Amino acid sequence: MIRKRTQKAPEMAISERELTSMTAELDMLHKETFPGVAKTLSEFSANLAHLGSGRPTARRSFLAGVGGAVVIGSVAACSSSKSGGGSSTPAAAGTSSLPKYTGDLKIVALAAALENLAVTAYQDALTMAGKGQFGTVPPAVATFVTTAMKQHQDHAAAWNGVLQKAKLPVVTGAPLTITKDQVAMLQAAKSVPDVAKLALNLENVAADTYTFATANVSDAGGIMTAATIQPVETMHAAILSFVLGEYPVPNTFWGDSRTLKPDMLTA
Amino acid sequence: MDDILDERRFRELLVESDDMQSDAMRGTRHDLNAYVAAAQEARFESRRDLRLGGALLGAGALGAAALAFASPAAAASSQDVMALQTAAGLENLAVFTYKTALTLPFIGGSSANPVVKAFAMKTMQQHTEHGQAFNAAATKLGGKAQTATDPKYTPIVQQAAGGIKGPEDVVALAITLEDVAAETYVADIGLVSTSDLRQLFASVAGVESQHKAILLAVQALLKGGAPQLIALPPDAAMLPAAAGSVGFPDAFFPTSNAAPVAEGAVQ
């Protein structure tokens, strides 16, 4: 029987200088990968520009939805969300009776909204942590939240760039049927594990959605954009699982049962 | 090294992990069968086109007719088979590497970190199943199973294996292999010809990237002189700040190290 640890381990043998150096290297790696993705997205945008008129495309079940409705934690789907500019307020629902986004561009808008939701969740978590609502936050957790949030911002910017080039409105906030409940769950969080579980759920949903998108988006640039973002979300999930004390790589094949359906986009 | 693992809870997590993997495999088998059926139909149509072309133009022009009526599906299927064989070769090499690592006392022995040992065993099993899935798809498409290890990286692994002195060397080697595999599968998403196959590669890429994330975190802790922090659950308060982000260095997963599609094709 391996006994539980009862005493704290000695301090880490890493200097502030080493930490700063590692952070700078991380930032450099991040900046190096973005130009390639920006190129992919430019090609994607050029191909999708002609779809800006909203011509529907016939495609496999992404538009019809998959399996049952996605349930995020204890979320019940809401039919609409209100506009707002704050980071914790769900974004505008479409006021026109005609949908602004259709076909592949609806998937792009859905992805942008989901990324914004992740940014909102992480930003609000940092704000709440700063107010002491979770007690002492481990430095590694703070670093995780800050870095993951920035990566989700980049993902959202990438998807919104496609919408801009297609002369469609960018997605601000998170106009999703799940947003209201996700925000409520975050605001009810009392501890770092509470927040980590919420974040893990969002990362899993994002990864599932991108996995499905790789098989169901028709544009090559869109496929590759989803393909290059999906692994990053699964990596976030692995680290969150590890921090929560769960086995970090439980699945041999990544599924798509938690995919967000396009009709969950309210913009 | 301190014993810091709640062994009963860890075993519970592994059982949960196996259950989740079984659920995911059901979906993947369905996807594989659907893909194979679609590709076989495409190949049938290709052969039928060739026969019709020959009958119309006469025996003397059969070669020209074959060229004129040759289906793009045939070429696509050939590339698909090569991609699957290359993937299987990478998986075979990963299995070999983890199997070799587990013979080392500091990875698989009684004094090894139990989390590292369990991770190596579980990951090896997952790679075995990846290889089986890729080979099953390749053979059903009329290709041969790839039973050898990747020709480019096998010598690299063999050379590295001869110089292994401790767990850091093993982890560094494993990171290289997981990264190559993940990058290759992300790239393959853009190369293969059917949506089912794109989803298959995405479903495996998502898992290889998780392996990489955890290995990067383990590497950081080993380099920082804190192997005792490689625990499940970890003592999050003692983790260095950089541990929160070292597992996902890129906002968009790169493909610059992807293996060429024909690298591991069976000759």
Side-chain angles (χ1 to χ4, degrees):
Chain A
M1 173 72 177
I2 299 174
R3 68 179 164 80
K4 262 189 174 176
R5 178 179 53 184
T6 55
Q7 297 176 342
K8 286 197 179 297
E11 278 190 15
M12 276 291 296
I14 181 169
S15 68
E16 188 70 31
R17 186 175 63 80
E18 286 168 329
L19 172 60
T20 303
S21 172
M22 288 170 71
T23 304
E25 185 181 339
L26 173 65
D27 195 47
M28 181 188 72
L29 283 169
H30 155 68
K31 286 174 181 168
E32 281 176 356
T33 58
F34 199 77
V37 174
K39 180 176 180 299
T40 298
L41 286 169
S42 290
E43 292 165 358
F44 182 25
S45 299
N47 291 337
L48 287 179
H50 72 285
L51 295 177
S53 60
R55 210 162 17 97
T57 58
R59 188 167 46 260
R60 199 166 79 88
S61 56
F62 201 145
L63 296 183
V66 292
V70 175
V71 176
I72 310 296
S74 58
V75 171
C78 301
S79 57
S80 65
S81 56
K82 292 185 178 178
S83 62
S87 63
S88 57
T89 309
T95 52
S96 165
S97 59
L98 293 175
K100 286 182 288 196
Y101 312 107
T102 58
D104 277 0
L105 289 168
K106 185 161 189 174
I107 298 168
V108 172
L110 181 79
L114 184 54
E115 296 290 351
N116 286 343
L117 178 57
V119 172
T120 294
Y122 285 127
Q123 181 61 64
D124 285 359
L126 286 172
T127 301
M128 294 164 72
K131 294 176 180 175
Q133 289 181 242
F134 307 135
T136 302
V137 177
V141 173
T143 302
F144 173 91
V145 171
T146 304
T147 309
M149 182 178 70
K150 184 163 193 325
Q151 292 181 341
H152 286 297
Q153 285 173 332
D154 288 341
H155 299 164
W159 292 119
N160 271 329
V162 174
L163 295 176
Q164 278 183 310
K165 290 184 178 173
K167 298 189 177 8
L168 287 176
V170 298
V171 175
T172 57
L176 298 168
T177 56
I178 64 171
T179 296
K180 184 178 175 183
D181 283 338
Q182 290 297 294
V183 170
M185 286 167 65
L186 175 63
Q187 291 171 349
K190 298 279 189 289
S191 65
V192 169
D194 286 348
V195 176
K197 287 173 189 171
L198 180 77
L200 176 59
N201 208 4
L202 288 177
E203 299 288 356
N204 285 337
V205 167
D208 279 26
T209 302
Y210 290 133
T211 302
F212 194 81
T214 61
N216 293 280
V217 167
S218 58
D219 181 85
I223 290 169
M224 287 313 298
T225 302
T228 59
I229 295 178
Q230 180 252 32
V232 179
E233 322 296 50
T234 69
M235 294 166 101
H236 293 166
I239 298 299
L240 282 166
S241 293
F242 179 70
V243 169
L244 284 167
E246 298 173 8
Y247 189 78
V249 193
N251 297 319
T252 298
F253 297 90
W254 195 274
D256 62 4
S257 60
R258 296 163 292 201
T259 295
L260 281 189
K261 299 194 307 187
D263 60 6
M264 289 177 163
L265 179 71
T266 59
Chain B
M1 188 180 300
D2 289 338
D3 291 330
I4 46 178
L5 176 69
D6 181 338
E7 188 176 359
R8 184 179 64 83
R9 177 59 185 148
F10 190 72
R11 290 204 176 113
E12 287 173 359
L13 288 172
L14 286 178
V15 168
E16 285 174 22
S17 169
D18 283 341
D19 288 342
M20 291 168 75
Q21 184 257 318
S22 294
D23 290 342
M25 271 300 290
R26 274 194 288 276
T28 303
R29 287 196 189 98
H30 168 78
D31 290 339
L32 271 176
N33 289 338
Y35 163 72
V36 168
Q40 287 176 332
E41 179 64 23
R43 286 162 68 89
F44 170 77
E45 292 297 326
S46 168
R47 292 195 196 105
R48 188 185 69 174
D49 289 342
L50 289 173
R51 289 196 295 273
L52 284 173
L56 284 171
L57 298 178
L62 185 58
L67 282 174
F69 285 88
S71 167
S77 181
S78 172
Q79 178 161 277
D80 292 345
V81 169
M82 288 195 292
L84 290 164
Q85 291 169 335
T86 296
L90 287 170
E91 298 295 343
N92 294 340
L93 182 58
V95 171
F96 168 79
T97 302
Y98 283 106
K99 188 176 288 186
T100 302
L102 282 163
T103 65
L104 302 169
F106 44 80
I107 298 295
S110 57
S111 62
N113 180 303
V115 174
V116 171
K117 179 178 177 179
F119 179 83
M121 293 173 66
K122 178 73 173 177
T123 301
M124 182 176 71
Q125 176 59 33
Q126 290 175 332
H127 284 300
T128 300
E129 295 184 46
H130 293 165
Q132 289 169 347
F134 287 134
N135 271 332
T139 54
K140 285 185 178 177
L141 287 176
K144 296 178 184 176
Q146 175 55 278
T147 58
T149 55
D150 181 84
K152 174 181 174 183
Y153 286 96
T154 297
I156 294 172
V157 169
Q158 289 169 332
Q159 185 176 20
I164 288 176
K165 295 182 175 54
E168 280 186 53
D169 297 325
V170 173
V171 170
L173 182 58
I175 288 171
T176 297
L177 295 180
E178 299 287 355
D179 182 57
V180 168
E183 292 200 27
T184 299
Y185 305 155
V186 170
D188 284 341
I189 290 167
L191 297 175
V192 292
S193 66
T194 72
S195 61
D196 289 324
L197 199 51
R198 290 201 299 272
Q199 188 149 358
L200 172 62
F201 275 105
S203 75
V204 179
V207 176
E208 316 297 47
S209 59
Q210 289 196 307
H211 292 159
K212 176 184 172 182
I214 296 303
L215 287 165
L216 285 171
V218 167
Q219 183 181 57
L221 293 175
L222 289 173
K223 284 186 173 181
Q228 72 283 3
L229 293 182
I230 304 169
L232 200 63
D235 185 345
M238 293 304 299
L239 291 172
S245 62
V246 71
F248 41 96
D250 307 301
F252 299 88
F253 206 84
T255 57
S256 55
N257 291 327
V261 71
E263 179 171 290
V266 177
Q267 302 303 322

